[in-house]
Amino acid sequence: MPRKPNNKPWLHAPSGFWCATLNGKRVYLDKDARTADQVLRQLKAEQKRNGGIGRDWKEATLSELADEFLSDLKSRRKPGTYEQSRYALLRALRILGTHLKVGEVRRLHLAKIEQSMVGKNYSPSTIRDTLAKVQQVFSWAVELELLELNPLVGYRKPARRMRTRIITSDEFQAMLRATPRNPAFRRVLVALRMTGCRPGELRSLTWDMVDLDQGVWIIPDHKTVTTQKIPRPRVVPLPSPILNLCIRLARRPHENSDPVFLNMLGKRYSKDGLVRLMARVRTRAGIGSKAGESIVLYSHRHTYGTEAAGRVSDIELAELMGHTDTHTTRRYVHLNSDRLRDIQRRIQAGR
């Protein structure tokens, strides 16, 4: 019985050959270990070039098909797109398991993903993106003729929720007090609040994007770069506290490709890791939902846009938030109850 697939050759003692398991079959590589390793890399590269042609992908696991999809995506798309797709598929596979076969996947499995994520308080947008990514894997497989049909077509995904919740000063201070043992995450909260950056931008920020002399972050791969007629990086001017924070962090040993914001273990944050930390802090701070909406990482961006509205022009605010036009920016500007009461008082005073 052949062994499970492995990234390294293994020695078949009776024959003296170094072997590997590819497509469920034992492949004899060479009696020399170094040569066998080279042969295995060549075989895997050829397999990727052929896109798995000849394999019965219905008998493969969903995890294997997802790996094939991600490998293709990594070679053709930007790193940010690859990372987002990878995390979305990891979320789905944690729920469905790694042994589910491609030929067994049905829309029921998308329902299981949705039910599980709802129970863990994921936002409708994150749930929708996760379901859509699983569907995309099957659409990609059909397009490349690895499968004949996509069994997930027609599943009704939850609608995205338009966020209106902003964070009050008292709520933000409560969150900071709830993180006494996690200064790393506190830095993330402060940076989100003061720069208006997207959580993904902060998570993927590396030192080669930081210009301490100019006091800016220069983010080349951002969400709206593909919608710009002339693609250009997003420039984030740093408030003094964030600039001073970066200067302090820059003193620790690092490479240009290292993340600026590291977790307590000194590693890069994952999207799910940040989401779990935010949920934990929200609970510790005793901050409940309002009108059915909880505070999430993205709420900092909405708060930034709302607080800046009226202090700068629409065009200037759009530039600060990295939008290509002011129409998108307006989605992030919410009139809170205090401002609405002030408008009402000015209306009454004018009568």
Side-chain angles (χ1 to χ4, degrees):
M1 181 177 180
R3 298 188 182 189
K4 293 181 179 180
N6 197 301
N7 291 328
K8 295 182 180 180
W10 45 272
L11 181 63
H12 183 242
S15 66
F17 271 82
W18 289 89
C19 303
T21 302
L22 296 174
N23 296 338
K25 297 180 180 179
R26 180 189 300 164
V27 178
Y28 294 86
L29 302 170
D30 200 276
K31 289 190 174 183
D32 178 71
R34 183 173 297 179
T35 304
D37 190 56
Q38 293 174 350
V39 172
L40 178 58
R41 287 201 298 269
Q42 292 171 357
L43 289 173
K44 286 189 172 183
E46 183 179 351
Q47 189 179 55
K48 285 186 177 181
R49 284 195 299 271
N50 293 336
I53 294 174
R55 180 176 185 179
D56 184 359
W57 280 98
K58 287 185 178 180
E59 293 300 315
T61 64
L62 177 58
S63 176
E64 289 174 321
L65 185 62
D67 282 342
E68 198 73 24
F69 166 79
L70 288 172
S71 178
D72 181 55
L73 193 70
K74 190 174 185 179
S75 66
R76 296 187 295 108
R77 303 294 293 275
K78 294 182 178 180
T81 302
Y82 166 78
E83 286 297 327
Q84 290 174 359
S85 300
R86 178 172 170 269
Y87 283 121
L89 290 172
L90 282 174
R91 283 194 294 271
L93 288 170
R94 286 193 192 104
I95 296 167
L96 298 180
T98 57
H99 300 295
L100 178 65
K101 290 187 177 181
V102 172
E104 297 171 350
V105 176
R106 298 292 184 269
R107 280 178 283 186
L108 173 64
H109 293 98
L110 292 184
K112 289 183 177 180
I113 294 172
E114 183 175 353
Q115 291 164 8
S116 177
M117 293 184 71
V118 168
K120 295 177 181 177
N121 293 320
Y122 280 91
S123 71
S125 295
T126 301
I127 296 173
R128 182 183 178 88
D129 290 343
T130 303
L131 298 174
K133 192 57 62 176
V134 178
Q135 289 178 315
Q136 187 181 353
V137 169
F138 281 84
S139 296
W140 168 86
V142 171
E143 182 181 350
L144 268 63
E145 299 181 340
L146 303 181
L147 296 174
E148 293 181 2
L149 298 171
N150 182 352
L152 304 181
V153 171
Y155 184 82
R156 185 174 298 177
K157 298 183 287 293
R160 295 184 185 278
R161 177 188 295 167
M162 293 297 294
R163 297 199 174 277
T164 59
R165 180 77 184 270
I166 63 171
I167 305 169
T168 66
S169 296
D170 289 343
E171 288 172 334
F172 184 67
Q173 291 303 318
M175 285 192 288
L176 295 183
R177 289 193 298 270
T179 57
R181 298 182 181 178
N182 196 337
F185 186 61
R186 191 185 301 120
R187 288 193 286 266
V188 170
L189 293 177
V190 173
L192 288 173
R193 174 83 169 189
M194 299 192 74
T195 65
C197 278
R198 302 173 179 92
E201 291 173 339
L202 214 66
R203 183 166 49 82
S204 59
L205 184 73
T206 53
W207 282 109
D208 56 356
M209 303 178 194
V210 179
D211 188 334
L212 295 177
D213 293 331
Q214 297 294 322
V216 296
W217 293 337
I218 302 174
I219 304 174
D221 185 22
H222 54 97
K223 187 175 181 179
T224 55
V225 70
T226 56
T227 63
Q228 296 172 341
K229 293 182 179 179
I230 302 177
R232 55 191 177 90
R234 183 184 174 200
V235 178
V236 181
L238 302 180
S240 296
I242 304 303
L243 176 59
N244 292 333
L245 170 63
C246 288
I247 291 173
R248 292 198 304 272
L249 294 178
R251 292 173 186 155
R252 68 192 181 195
H254 64 268
E255 302 290 337
N256 282 341
S257 59
D258 289 342
V260 175
F261 293 93
L262 300 171
N263 62 23
M264 289 292 285
L265 299 176
K267 297 181 179 180
R268 183 189 296 270
Y269 278 107
S270 68
K271 179 178 179 179
D272 283 9
L274 282 177
V275 168
R276 286 193 295 269
L277 283 170
M278 184 68 230
R280 199 174 302 152
V281 168
R282 188 174 59 224
T283 300
R284 287 176 180 170
I287 302 173
S289 61
K290 293 181 181 178
E293 185 177 352
S294 299
I295 287 176
V296 295
L297 290 168
Y298 231 95
S299 300
H300 294 85
R301 183 165 166 82
H302 286 259
T303 303
Y304 179 89
T306 299
E307 292 181 345
R311 301 180 185 179
V312 296
S313 69
D314 289 352
I315 294 176
E316 289 171 331
L317 182 55
E319 190 70 22
L320 279 173
M321 298 190 70
H323 293 149
T324 54
D325 57 59
T326 59
H327 295 289
T328 306
T329 306
R330 291 185 188 123
R331 296 209 309 262
Y332 289 82
V333 177
H334 312 292
L335 292 177
N336 59 33
S337 57
D338 290 338
R339 194 174 297 184
L340 287 171
R341 281 193 291 268
D342 180 60
I343 292 172
Q344 185 67 268
R345 281 194 295 268
R346 282 187 277 128
I347 291 174
Q348 295 299 323
R351 287 179 176 176

